[in-house]
Amino acid sequence: VSTQSTGLYPHVPESELPRSWSSKDRWQFIKLSRCNLRVHYNGQGKTHKDAASVRATHPIPAACGIYYFEVKIISKGRDGFMGIGLADKLVNMNRLPGWEKNSYGYHGDDGNSFSSSGNGKKYGPTFTTGDVIGCCVNMINRTVFYTKNGINLGVAFTDVPLGLYPTVGLQTPGEIADANFGDRPFVFDIEGYIVECKTRLRRDIQTHSSSAPYNDNNLLDIVLKKMVFGYMVHHGYCGAAENFAKATNLYFFEDIPSIQNRQRVQKLIMKGMIGDAITLVQELYPTLLGNKPELLFKLQIRNFIEMINNLNSEPQSHPYSIASLMNGNEDTNEEKMEVDHKPEPSEGERQPSRHALEQLLLFGRELNAQNTQDEDLKRQLQEAFSLLAYRDPKASPIGYLLHPNQREQLCADLNSAILESNGLPRQPPLEMALSQTKNTVGRMLEEGLGAAAYCGLDEFLKCSLRPQ
């Protein structure tokens, strides 16, 4: 599947998208070629009983929101009795799409649309050799429309069920059609259509959410202000919280000195000064880490990683390698003299001092001796120890462990533990609301609500905050 196809359906794994016609789910008169994208009719074509169809490899996932594919008529064959559309898993493939229950089709010989019936309705123009017919399934409003050579022909079907398969049917000799499931650009501007649908959907959401006359006395307005205020207090933005409280007449639910203490701890963590952070926590909250040994162990693992992080930044009079110390090797005085005259190594090549390495290895042995039984902590510790195997840990496959952003989750965990020990919520209401919203949208996708494909919280917030 091309990047175009995956870009159109970001919530759906490639493996779950229709990508070609099924070599197993077809009538015997259908022949496939060109990676199962080209369909040939290989029957007698004397009566409608000789019709043959083929389904795609997968049904259309509701999480696509809007799904589109195109079929190019390579040859109309003898009569051009060709149908393009959709069918569920149980529809007989010895019929053109639209003739059977739970199947839908647009036929080329008469331009009629067929919905679960052999009686067609006038819909669009006929199509023949060289034409490109597109089929769009809108799972937001459960409609289907077709395109011909890039022109939208209007809605063909309404109230279509979910779980349908792209389907094509042929009936007379010489009929050949090529499918495009997104492996190359479409003739129709499906991206533009999706943008229009997204815009309408967001407008509907905003209209609905602003339909009530909110004001300073409105309960929802007050709740939202408290949520924002709680977020600031939770993360220790003391100055911003004080200004916000004055502007909104809100009151602190935690003493300002307590907020400042949490802020001090968080700053140490984010600077990589884990040892100092542990000392400060033990001073301010003497029983906290004793009651949470797993959190303490996580802090110690991070401290070990930060010690590795700091090795290359220490001033050195003489370099030693980790391997040499682990193997118990000693350098001679003559070797030391030679090293003193060597050019200054680059950061990646620089070797740490012997004392720093000895402290690092000693601390590592102490961590290992704790013999934790928690599988996740064991994995984290082994990953940290693995950094010792590389001459330049930052350039190693696990060098990401040394990145400052790896401190963020630990910082959040420690902050939540401090709040909990003080009888305050571990997570601010604003974050809980955002998390609940994301989970709700995910559940909507699982339940087949197509609109949820375009209600992603991150994308919606970006569009809402974008300057108009």
Side-chain angles (χ1 to χ4, degrees), residues 18-22 54-60 67-69 71 84-87 93 97 135 137 163-168 181:
R19 293 177 287 183
S20 63
W21 301 119
S22 172
V54 58
R55 270 183 285 258
T57 54
H58 294 77
I60 300 170
Y67 183 81
Y68 183 75
F69 70 99
V71 175
I84 296 166
L86 307 156
M93 289 289 96
C135 179
V137 185
L164 299 178
Y165 291 70
T167 305
V168 65
F181 292 106

Side-chain angles (χ1 to χ4, degrees), residues 31 85 116 159 195 219 221 234 249-250 292 308 321 363 410:
K31 177 184 175 183
S116 304
D159 299 321
V195 169
L219 177 60
D221 187 70
H234 179 94
N249 295 319
L250 294 176
K292 293 188 176 293
I308 297 175
S321 69
F363 185 52
L410 182 61

